[in-house]
Amino acid sequence: MTRPDDLPPEQAGNVITVRLATRQRLSRLDRSNISSASCGACGKTSFDALEIRTSPLASGLQVRRDVILTLPDRLKPVQETFRSTGGVHASGLFSPEGELIAFREDVGRHNALDKLIGWALTNHRIPLDDHILLLSGRISFELVQKAAMASIPVIAAVGAPSSLAIDIARQFNMTLAGFLRPHSMNVYTNPHRII
């Protein structure tokens, strides 16, 4: 290892050069042992490994259609990082009446949701079976899985769901609404929760 004080003056500073003593064969590593903060598919060796083990949600939550349609406008004013960068996603947790309970932003959609569920967990609020989740982008299957594990029965988003997200929402008795606009939305699963 080369330390900064061993470097020529033009390379001095916060520099450390590391050289491995032997060459490592990374192909021998079992990828399933790698932990990832990215989407639920990363690090999995098969589609069967993507399956989560939880029961279908039994929440009797019902939400007015007009409340769901207003959620993007209720989340937007608090998205300071998005306002200054235009490059982050948000996950917002709402009451059935549309009150913003908590939100988190991150460059990754899944990280924003992880932060929000982490907040709920540390504040002893799980299960979230009487809440609505709003996503600022598209709905992917891993976001639906995470919401299922936190017992969130209604997911709404400004973007589209993937077909696998729809399948998982149906499997876990979750209501999935996408393409939220001021006067319209698409409801993909369990529309009985939207009144």
Side-chain angles (χ1 to χ4, degrees):
M1 181 180 337
T2 305
R3 294 195 169 95
D5 54 334
D6 297 334
L7 295 171
E10 67 273 7
Q11 292 182 4
N14 293 329
V15 177
I16 297 175
T17 304
V18 177
R19 292 184 183 88
L20 298 177
T22 61
R23 295 190 77 165
Q24 301 293 321
R25 295 190 66 203
L26 297 179
S27 62
R28 293 186 337 207
L29 295 176
D30 182 358
R31 184 176 159 96
S32 64
N33 290 334
I34 295 174
S35 177
S36 174
S38 63
C39 80
C42 297
K44 304 296 190 216
T45 57
S46 71
F47 282 116
D48 291 339
L50 298 175
E51 186 177 352
I52 60 169
R53 286 162 180 73
T54 191
S55 301
L57 304 185
S59 172
L61 177 68
Q62 291 192 313
V63 183
R64 290 192 342 263
R65 177 183 182 275
D66 62 314
V67 168
I68 291 179
L69 293 175
T70 64
L71 296 182
D73 288 338
R74 294 176 188 217
L75 183 61
K76 198 177 297 182
V78 297
Q79 290 181 259
E80 292 179 20
T81 307
F82 178 78
R83 237 187 346 272
S84 63
T85 67
V88 296
H89 293 279
S91 290
L93 191 64
F94 289 86
S95 74
E97 296 76 31
E99 176 192 354
L100 179 61
I101 306 297
F103 80 99
R104 294 295 183 267
E105 293 181 287
D106 196 280
V107 71
R109 293 171 295 120
H110 38 78
N111 293 343
L113 182 54
D114 287 345
K115 289 176 178 180
L116 185 62
I117 292 173
W119 168 86
L121 186 62
T122 57
N123 286 284
H124 310 286
R125 297 191 69 144
I126 290 180
L128 295 168
D129 55 357
D130 58 349
H131 290 78
I132 308 161
L133 172 64
L134 176 67
L135 303 172
S136 66
R138 66 183 182 84
I139 311 168
S140 55
F141 80 92
E142 72 273 14
L143 298 179
V144 177
Q145 285 182 324
K146 290 174 183 192
M149 295 300 291
S151 300
I152 303 172
V154 177
I155 302 174
V158 297
S162 68
S163 60
L164 189 53
I166 293 169
D167 291 344
I168 292 171
R170 189 174 292 118
Q171 176 185 353
F172 291 106
N173 191 32
M174 300 166 76
T175 300
L176 199 61
F179 289 115
L180 266 66
R181 302 296 180 263
H183 303 290
S184 67
M185 67 179 145
N186 294 346
V187 180
Y188 298 92
T189 59
N190 297 297
H192 66 277
R193 286 198 180 96
I194 300 176
I195 56 174

